[in-house]
Amino acid sequence: MEFVGLLKQRLDFQQGSGSHGDWKIATYLLETIESFPKHMVVKVFDGLNGRLAKFDALMGKNVTVYFDCDAREYNGRYYNEIVAGGIKNNEPEEPKNE
């Protein structure tokens, strides 16, 4: 699935170490570009590929975020989790001055 809109802000950041190495998770707020904007919060897991740096570099820009949805059970109740897998910049590149 994908979501097109503005990458508004990073809401939360966590990091730690586990049996598979170090990990980082950040939560970002996305907003649609329309008269009555809708919002979505996505989690971004960062391994060795620098995914968080890509998201941070595109803050405030028009982007397409590719994501998966999944539900997790906790105490007999289910909660949706939206996890981003990738991001693409939708804004035209600025011309380079040479």
Side-chain angles (χ1 to χ4, degrees):
M1 291 181 254
E2 62 185 50
F3 184 95
V4 177
L6 296 175
L7 186 59
K8 295 296 280 188
Q9 69 185 96
R10 185 163 76 175
L11 302 173
D12 191 19
F13 178 77
Q14 300 171 350
Q15 64 182 4
S17 296
S19 60
H20 299 289
D22 295 340
W23 55 267
K24 298 175 188 173
I25 300 172
T27 305
Y28 290 87
L29 177 66
L30 302 162
E31 179 181 89
T32 59
I33 304 169
E34 49 193 16
S35 297
F36 298 100
K38 295 176 180 64
H39 297 87
M40 178 186 288
V41 173
V42 296
K43 282 187 177 181
V44 179
F45 294 93
D46 195 12
L48 299 175
N49 59 9
R51 195 176 295 154
L52 293 182
K54 292 176 188 174
F55 273 74
D56 287 343
L58 294 173
M59 196 66 61
K61 298 194 186 282
N62 181 342
V63 296
T64 300
V65 175
Y66 303 95
F67 64 91
D68 289 320
C69 295
D70 194 14
R72 299 191 182 271
E73 186 268 335
Y74 179 73
N75 287 339
R77 297 192 61 181
Y78 284 87
Y79 300 89
N80 288 324
E81 186 171 71
I82 302 170
V83 179
I87 189 168
K88 179 182 87 168
N89 187 357
N90 294 335
E91 295 186 1
E93 290 188 29
E94 296 177 13
K96 296 179 182 177
N97 295 332
E98 293 185 21

